Amino acid sequence: MLSDKKTEGELRKEKSIAFLKKKEVPYIEHLPMIEDSASVKMKGPEVIAKRMVCTLLTIQYAFDIMQGNGGEEGRNFWFAMLEDYEALEELTEKEKHIFSGSASEEELCAMTWKYEAYWVLAWALGFIEELDYPEEVCDCDRAIEIVRDRPELSLLLQAAKPRGTQGILDEADLIYRLDWACVDARIKGNEAPASLNADVVVERHMALNWLIGYDDDWDNVSTDT
């Protein structure tokens, strides 16, 4: 006899769709469910913390270059900080490219949008209380304070209050559906619906997919919808 009890994924999908209806965000019923908690390979706190640091400090150097303050002295300053957080070896190829000083203006601008991905990581470690509806950019000053006020990896980890798998999967499922709405609107030549900021949405989608192990390559996380 087949059980009519709904799975974790089905319940999560229903919860997400209820939210979409409330916000009047377009959706499709047949968009698949994401993985259940038993099958995901969630990133651990230390891995997340180091990724936070690499992301934030690379963003800061990108801004330095855009403001004419790049160069070897600035690069050495940020590299020293990365070493303090035991994260220098965790830089991705795109991040190394920024620090090489040869990145284009387009690449520098793209890196500054990683604040939104960083915000998700900070939320996952409990430094941010909740992920607000993605219509506005994150609080960049607050983002910087989280790392600045904890100048070593050990201090960052001591202050962290990692979220459970269920909460992260809830957000991953929701952002998946929000991103579908943004992509669908773009394909049709329309603005993102329901006041969504499509750039914020896609960066959150990328970070959440990385957190749940959907893709491990931070530079190239899939955000397929």
Side-chain angles (χ1 to χ4, degrees):
M1 181 177 178
L2 294 175
S3 171
D4 59 0
K5 183 178 179 180
K6 292 180 179 178
T7 66
E8 174 191 323
E10 288 171 333
L11 292 171
R12 181 173 290 114
K13 178 178 177 179
E14 287 184 356
K15 179 182 176 181
S16 293
I17 289 177
F19 179 88
L20 298 177
K21 288 179 177 178
K22 181 179 178 180
K23 289 288 189 178
E24 299 183 347
V25 178
Y27 68 92
I28 51 173
E29 288 281 357
H30 59 272
L31 199 66
M33 296 176 290
I34 63 171
E35 295 181 87
D36 286 350
S37 56
S39 58
V40 300
K41 297 179 180 178
M42 197 72 64
K43 298 293 189 298
E46 183 171 330
V47 173
I48 298 171
K50 288 182 178 181
R51 176 88 319 262
M52 277 179 59
V53 170
C54 287
T55 303
L56 182 66
L57 300 193
T58 305
I59 291 169
Q60 301 314 303
Y61 189 63
F63 274 118
D64 282 352
I65 296 173
M66 293 167 73
Q67 295 166 0
N69 298 319
E72 185 175 356
E73 184 177 351
R75 181 166 55 248
N76 290 340
F77 172 80
W78 296 116
F79 276 2
M81 286 190 67
L82 284 162
E83 288 180 338
D84 289 340
Y85 290 98
E86 304 170 37
L88 183 58
E89 299 303 317
E90 305 301 323
L91 289 173
T92 68
E93 291 306 310
K94 285 185 179 180
E95 290 166 345
K96 291 175 183 176
H97 182 56
I98 296 294
F99 279 109
S100 75
S102 57
S104 66
E105 184 175 349
E106 182 179 2
E107 289 169 326
L108 293 170
C109 288
M111 185 57 63
T112 65
W113 272 104
K114 292 300 174 186
Y115 262 128
E116 303 302 330
Y118 166 93
W119 195 252
V120 171
L121 304 183
W123 168 82
L125 288 187
F127 293 110
I128 304 301
E129 185 174 345
E130 64 178 331
L131 291 176
D132 294 334
Y133 185 72
E135 58 185 331
E136 301 288 345
V137 297
C138 69
D139 183 342
C140 296
D141 290 337
R142 172 63 182 140
I144 293 169
E145 287 172 3
I146 293 167
V147 169
R148 185 192 63 198
D149 294 349
R150 300 165 182 89
E152 295 177 5
L153 178 64
S154 60
L155 297 176
L156 198 58
L157 290 172
Q158 286 170 19
K161 296 178 181 178
R163 295 184 185 277
T165 300
Q166 295 283 358
I168 293 175
L169 285 172
D170 285 350
E171 289 292 343
D173 186 89
L174 178 59
I175 203 69
Y176 174 40
R177 300 176 198 287
L178 290 172
D179 202 7
W180 177 88
C182 291
V183 172
D184 183 63
R186 185 171 69 248
I187 289 171
K188 295 174 178 176
N190 300 326
E191 295 290 328
S195 300
L196 288 168
N197 184 318
D199 292 315
V200 173
V201 169
V202 73
E203 289 295 335
R204 285 195 189 178
H205 192 183
M206 184 278 294
L208 283 158
N209 277 358
W210 180 83
L211 281 170
I212 65 175
Y214 186 74
D215 266 325
D216 292 327
D217 180 0
W218 180 260
D219 283 343
N220 299 290
V221 176
S222 175
T223 55
D224 53 294
T225 58

